[in-house]
Amino acid sequence: MPLSTSTTSVMNNDSLAAQLFGGHDYVGSLFEKEKEAVDTIEHIPSIEYSSPTFSFIDRFVDFLSSLPWEVYAILGVVVMAYIIYQLYRNGLLEVGYRAKTADVDNPDNPFGIEYDKEIAEALKNSDFTSLVRLIYLRTLKYLDEEGRITWRIYKTPTDYASEMLMPAFSTMTRHFLRVRYGRFHADSALYDEMCRLQSQVQKGGQA
């Protein structure tokens, strides 16, 4: 029985394949090549994207976790000391007039002074150095009571001048510092000038 055309075509195709692949199983060869390609792809190392920011945060967290508890205890003490210092600096740990008069031995503490009595005594003795001091300290006390400054034992006259930013008070401060610490000779003219400046300060800096 003669072979059909389709059968002959298959045989011819098989013969052509055998010639091309040298008698090897070309179907099997193709399968093996695909398998090798898949294996190669699977063995390619994956590349993970890592953000520099998150990498830094992770390292920082790891560093904090590695610190001993003593370090945190010391940091806690430092923070508490800083808070207490700020409360004291801003007067939140003081109790009004009693706290301000506690340091009565400080000659430049404006509280606890009998101004009328001491000024009268200084005028009687023509003690203009004491008069300049008393006028200035009385002005500090007035400004604190009016809430225009906050008197503190650790503050300097220059600190108060910086708080006020008032020319009249700045001039008073310069006179006080020159007489009190610069051994500048005070006279009746300077005393009158201090009284005039004090009046300007009480009026808000207006002449």
Side-chain angles (χ1 to χ4, degrees):
M1 179 179 176
L3 296 174
S4 63
T5 304
S6 59
T7 303
T8 303
S9 176
V10 171
M11 291 178 64
N12 291 335
N13 290 338
D14 290 340
S15 299
L16 178 61
Q19 294 176 9
L20 293 174
F21 290 93
H24 296 290
D25 183 3
Y26 67 95
V27 176
S29 298
L30 291 176
F31 176 77
E32 290 296 331
K33 291 182 180 298
E34 289 184 4
K35 184 173 182 301
E36 291 176 3
V38 171
D39 291 340
T40 301
I41 293 174
E42 290 179 349
H43 285 83
I44 295 176
S46 60
I47 300 176
E48 297 181 358
Y49 175 76
S50 177
S51 170
T53 302
F54 285 106
S55 179
F56 170 77
I57 294 175
D58 291 339
R59 290 197 298 269
F60 183 69
V61 171
D62 291 340
F63 169 74
L64 293 180
S65 301
S66 65
L67 294 177
W69 68 269
E70 291 86 353
V71 174
Y72 292 101
I74 294 173
L75 289 175
V77 172
V78 171
V79 171
M80 287 300 299
Y82 177 77
I83 292 174
I84 293 173
Y85 168 75
Q86 289 298 326
L87 291 175
Y88 174 79
R89 181 179 177 83
N90 290 281
L92 299 179
L93 296 181
E94 298 178 358
V95 186
Y97 187 80
R98 179 180 298 177
K100 294 175 180 178
T101 57
D103 187 25
V104 292
D105 294 332
N106 182 357
D108 291 335
N109 185 337
F111 297 88
I113 297 175
E114 297 182 30
Y115 286 100
D116 292 337
K117 177 181 178 180
E118 294 195 24
I119 289 175
E121 186 69 20
L123 283 171
K124 179 181 177 181
N125 297 323
S126 299
D127 185 358
F128 296 107
T129 297
S130 296
L131 286 169
V132 169
R133 168 181 164 272
L134 290 168
I135 293 298
Y136 183 77
L137 294 180
R138 193 172 201 175
T139 304
L140 280 183
K141 181 175 180 290
Y142 166 80
L143 291 174
D144 179 85
E145 292 173 344
E146 292 293 310
R148 295 164 67 181
I149 65 168
T150 302
W151 185 86
R152 293 291 178 265
I153 190 173
Y154 53 82
K155 286 186 178 181
T156 66
T158 304
D159 291 332
Y160 299 119
S162 299
E163 290 181 24
M164 288 292 294
L165 293 176
M166 180 186 295
F169 184 71
S170 296
T171 302
M172 285 190 73
T173 301
R174 285 196 301 270
H175 290 327
F176 170 76
L177 291 174
R178 291 173 66 195
V179 172
R180 185 75 176 87
Y181 302 105
R183 300 183 181 277
F184 183 80
H185 176 69
D187 53 18
S188 59
L190 183 58
Y191 167 67
D192 292 339
E193 173 72 1
M194 290 292 285
C195 292
R196 184 183 66 83
L197 292 169
Q198 183 188 55
S199 177
Q200 288 186 23
V201 171
Q202 291 174 341
K203 294 177 182 178
Q206 302 300 321

